[in-house]
Amino acid sequence: MTALVREFTPSFYQSPSLWQQLGIAERGPKLYQALHEGFSYSIFDKLALISGLDKKQLAQICQLAPATLARRAKLGKFTQDESDRLHRFATVLVAANTLFANDMTAAKRWLTEPVYGLGDKAPLDMLGTTAETQAILDLIGRLEHGVFA
């Protein structure tokens, strides 16, 4: 019987997490402070780039009207409520990316197509409320643990 050998990769060689790429604390006081102060506009740009969505799609998903988005670009930051909506999207994006073993293409496809476990709604169409977002995260958790959805 041969032993399975894993190659050691020092942590400083590992690619940064999606949270690090976005410049958002994953949890805790730094996250709460950033949400209260309002996310920098650059986070919107990074979310669009990482997710592969165009800015118009991302704005629609996060319920940001074009005029509002233009004002936030000029101001350089979002309000607390807008930041919370961006954070909900980021949380679901990170969870889906993890579910699909860091295959962002597969994660994006899953997020945009109807899902049986969500009443045949696409996850990205369910980010309007915290309750819907939690339903997406609960489903992802069940799928990760092999629980029939």
Side-chain angles (χ1 to χ4, degrees):
M1 180 187 233
T2 56
L4 180 63
V5 178
R6 288 191 169 190
E7 186 175 315
F8 173 73
T9 304
S11 62
F12 53 86
Y13 288 125
Q14 293 177 352
S15 60
S17 74
L18 285 177
W19 292 114
Q20 291 168 328
Q21 291 177 48
L22 292 169
I24 302 173
E26 187 172 351
R27 61 179 62 92
K30 287 184 180 182
L31 170 62
Y32 312 145
Q33 182 180 355
L35 285 165
H36 283 284
E37 292 174 358
F39 284 169
S40 162
Y41 186 85
S42 67
I43 289 176
F44 180 83
D45 289 334
K46 291 174 188 176
L47 274 171
L49 181 66
I50 290 169
S51 69
L53 296 170
D54 67 43
K55 291 179 182 182
K56 185 177 179 181
Q57 289 174 301
L58 181 56
Q60 185 176 11
I61 290 164
C62 294
Q63 301 172 342
L64 298 166
T68 300
L69 192 59
R71 284 193 307 275
R72 299 304 176 247
K74 193 177 283 190
L75 182 64
K77 66 189 285 185
F78 290 94
T79 66
Q80 180 178 335
D81 287 339
E82 294 160 349
S83 298
D84 189 52
R85 284 181 258 153
L86 290 166
H87 182 260
R88 282 197 306 248
F89 171 76
T91 301
V92 168
L93 181 67
V94 168
N97 191 52
T98 300
L99 176 65
F100 289 96
N102 296 319
D103 181 347
M104 187 59 76
T105 302
K108 181 181 173 189
R109 184 175 40 245
W110 185 81
L111 288 168
T112 58
E113 294 177 355
V115 174
Y116 177 78
L118 296 172
D120 289 322
K121 290 185 178 181
L124 290 186
D125 293 338
M126 295 182 62
L127 293 175
T129 67
T130 303
E132 290 174 304
T133 302
Q134 190 59 53
I136 298 165
L137 296 172
D138 289 347
L139 177 61
I140 289 171
R142 290 194 312 269
L143 292 170
E144 285 179 327
H145 293 93
V147 177
F148 181 70

